[in-house]
Amino acid sequence: MSRLPALNIIGAGHLGRTLACLWHRRGIFAIGGICNRSVESSEDARAFIGAGTAVAGLNAMPPADLWLIAVPDDQIATTAKQLAPHLPADRQTLVFHCSGALPAGALTACTPAVLASAHPVHSFADPERSLTELAGATVALEGEASGVTHLESAFRALDCHCIVLSPEQKLLYHTGSVMACNYLTVLLDLSLQTLAAAGIDGDTAQKMLAPIVLQTASNNFTLGPERALTGPLVRGDIETVSRQLKALENLARREPESTTLAETYRTLGNAALPLAKRAGLSDTARRQMAALFSAHLNDTAP
Ligand SMILES: NC(=O)c1ccc[n+]([C@@H]2O[C@H](COP(=O)([O-])OP(=O)(O)OC[C@H]3O[C@@H](n4cnc5c(N)ncnc54)[C@H](OP(=O)(O)O)[C@@H]3O)[C@@H](O)[C@H]2O)c1
């Protein structure tokens, strides 16, 4: 029987430990060395993964066929430089990272190893949940062809879909996912702040928002954004939109730290206008809304 390819991990945090655990359980890779900043953290990751050896530093890492560098993005290039002297000077080793924003070129220090990147469009906020929820996620692959092919079969084995991107596509591709995923979280936080200002407690607000937010997300993917957009803006209820904006501006005057709420309402209101037009908003209503959103906070009376 041929041996499993060995995978070393530098940075077994949220993402690193989840992928290592899944690849170990599916029998795709033999987990080798696990190196975090502290040995305690490496031990913790080893316990989660259920395989591998926690090591104190790169010097103690065993040889491997693949190296995953899953440290924070800003440290990937530096870590690649530190790893380079420990690699054989041939094309048998694959080094990859999982950043969405950086190309495989961030690993250039590790050449002549084969370099690639693989970004799962998934939030690893809770690694235990990700073990069951990663399946079905898309993984964006980029880098040298042989590395991309190898990683494609490794992620397919985890029931992920793979797409291949060029280095030039990566940054805007990742920005697009940040807008949908991370900024949705920010938007929900702003919504909770607005509800708190209305005197609605956090638990009630969460309970109230969960079904409608999930329904809206689902509507977007089943009906499309034009049909999913409901509410006063797309109905052309200018009075309602104007009164809501004024309420947020009055709030900002009373509590300057909540100025972001009014600013975001304006910015997203403006951004919604082309979509609302496609959804049927009249040109007259659109112009009135645009004038409302472009007025500066200080231009409007309390
Ligand atoms: N989290 C996500 O949802 C997600 C999704 C897609 C892609 N990614 C990508 O995955 C990568 C890792 O993100 P993450 O969220 O898993 O990060 P994370 O949870 O913060 O984990 C980072 C790990 O790197 C270790 N580390 C940091 N500096 C190190 C160094 N110099 N040497 C060795 N280990 C070091 C940390 O060790 P200690 O534990 O000792 O501090 C930690 O275990 C990033 O490139 C990110 O863009 C993440």
Side-chain angles (χ1 to χ4, degrees), residues 10-17 35-38 41 69-73 75-76 79 82 98-100 119-120 122-125:
I10 308 175
H14 288 82
L15 172 138
R17 67 183 58 192
C35 180
N36 286 357
R37 275 181 301 195
S38 71
S41 172
I69 299 185
V71 300
D73 287 10
Q75 291 168 47
I76 288 175
T79 306
Q82 291 162 350
C98 289
S99 164
H119 176 248
H122 175 87
S123 172
F124 291 84

Side-chain angles (χ1 to χ4, degrees), residues 218-243:
S218 165
N219 285 348
N220 268 280
F221 296 110
T222 51
L223 306 175
E226 285 86 359
R227 287 179 63 198
L229 185 65
T230 58
L233 189 148
V234 72
R235 278 196 303 270
D237 282 340
I238 290 167
E239 268 306 303
T240 302
V241 173
S242 169
R243 287 172 54 235

